[in-house]
């Protein structure tokens, strides 16, 4: 992963699985299909003669714009978003980075973790992936690492839980 200005110096980032790109693309395509179908309603109604509005060019432009957005999202935006996700375990805390345009670096101290969840939806399970979610005392902080292989997710859950308990016991 390239070094960014907000990254701490000397950090070796772990990346999410390459399979996570497929999960994100499948999830996005499901949403985009629904979106394009909805945008196609005026065109279908106009072609059936039920509606006389909107103008024919607008009725065609809506689903075409939806298809163009789908192509841009699937081919350019989602791959960059997936490549931007990373995490690093340090002695005192866990670092999670994400974002392309609006970069985000979250530092989660082990002593602040209350519990760690591992989740996997149907598409994630089909690719052998999961999401590791950490719950802290702050309701506004929702640290999570998506697209982790199941074995790495189980290891992270145990490792983070153990480090969190050790830090809490030291208080």
């Amino acid at each position: 992963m390239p070094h960014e200005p907000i990254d701490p110096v000397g950090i070796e980032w772990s990346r999410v699985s390459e399979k996570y790109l497929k999960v994100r693309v499948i999830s996005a395509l499901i949403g985009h299909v629904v979106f394009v179908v909805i945008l196609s309603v005026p065109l279908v109604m106009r072609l059936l003669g039920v509606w006389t509005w909107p103008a024919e060019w607008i009725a065609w432009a809506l689903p075409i714009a939806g298809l163009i957005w789908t192509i841009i999202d699937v081919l350019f935006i989602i791959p960059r978003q997936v490549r931007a996700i990373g995490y690093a375990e340090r002695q005192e805390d866990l670092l999670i980075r994400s974002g392309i345009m609006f970069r985000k670096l979250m530092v989660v101290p082990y002593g602040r973790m209350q519990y760690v969840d591992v989740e996997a939806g149907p598409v994630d399970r089909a690719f052998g992936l999961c999401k590791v979610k950490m719950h802290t005392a702050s309701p506004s902080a929702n640290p999570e690492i998506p697209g982790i292989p199941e074995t790495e997710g189980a290891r992270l859950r145990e490792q983070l839980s153990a480090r969190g308990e050790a830090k809490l016991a030291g208080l």
Side-chain angles (χ1 to χ4, degrees):
M1 287 186 127
H3 179 72
E4 298 293 337
I6 65 171
D7 292 345
V9 178
I11 296 296
E12 188 66 36
W13 294 100
S14 299
R15 298 184 63 180
V16 298
S17 172
E18 292 178 8
K19 295 177 186 176
Y20 184 56
L21 176 60
K22 294 175 187 173
V23 170
R24 285 284 311 272
V25 166
I26 290 169
S27 300
L29 284 175
I30 291 169
H32 284 294
V33 165
V34 171
F35 184 63
V36 171
V37 166
I38 292 170
L39 290 177
S40 298
V41 168
L43 177 62
V44 171
M45 299 299 268
R46 183 157 171 80
L47 292 175
L48 292 175
V50 177
W51 289 350
T52 57
W53 63 274
E56 190 170 343
W57 71 271
I58 293 175
W60 280 100
L62 289 173
I64 290 171
L67 287 172
I68 291 170
W69 175 247
T70 299
I71 292 167
I72 290 170
D73 194 31
V74 168
L75 294 180
F76 301 107
I77 296 174
I78 291 175
R80 294 246 355 247
Q81 288 174 335
V82 169
R83 282 194 311 265
I85 301 170
Y87 65 97
E89 297 176 73
R90 295 196 303 186
Q91 193 66 29
E92 301 292 321
D93 50 32
L94 176 74
L95 303 176
I96 304 170
R97 65 179 271 190
S98 62
I100 301 171
M101 184 177 291
F102 299 99
R103 293 186 177 109
K104 179 178 180 180
L105 176 66
M106 187 175 290
V107 180
V108 185
Y110 296 127
R112 301 287 183 196
M113 288 185 206
Q114 295 177 331
Y115 61 97
V116 180
D117 282 340
V118 177
E119 298 177 357
V123 179
D124 289 323
R125 283 194 312 272
F127 288 94
L129 301 177
C130 65
K131 178 191 306 183
V132 177
K133 293 178 77 172
M134 287 127 304
H135 298 272
T136 65
S138 172
S140 63
N142 298 315
E144 64 182 32
I145 308 169
I148 302 291
E150 290 173 338
T151 54
E152 175 68 2
R155 185 200 69 79
L156 265 177
R157 180 190 63 227
E158 297 304 319
Q159 181 80 16
L160 296 175
S161 296
R163 287 183 176 179
E165 287 177 23
K167 295 293 179 188
L168 282 175
L171 292 178

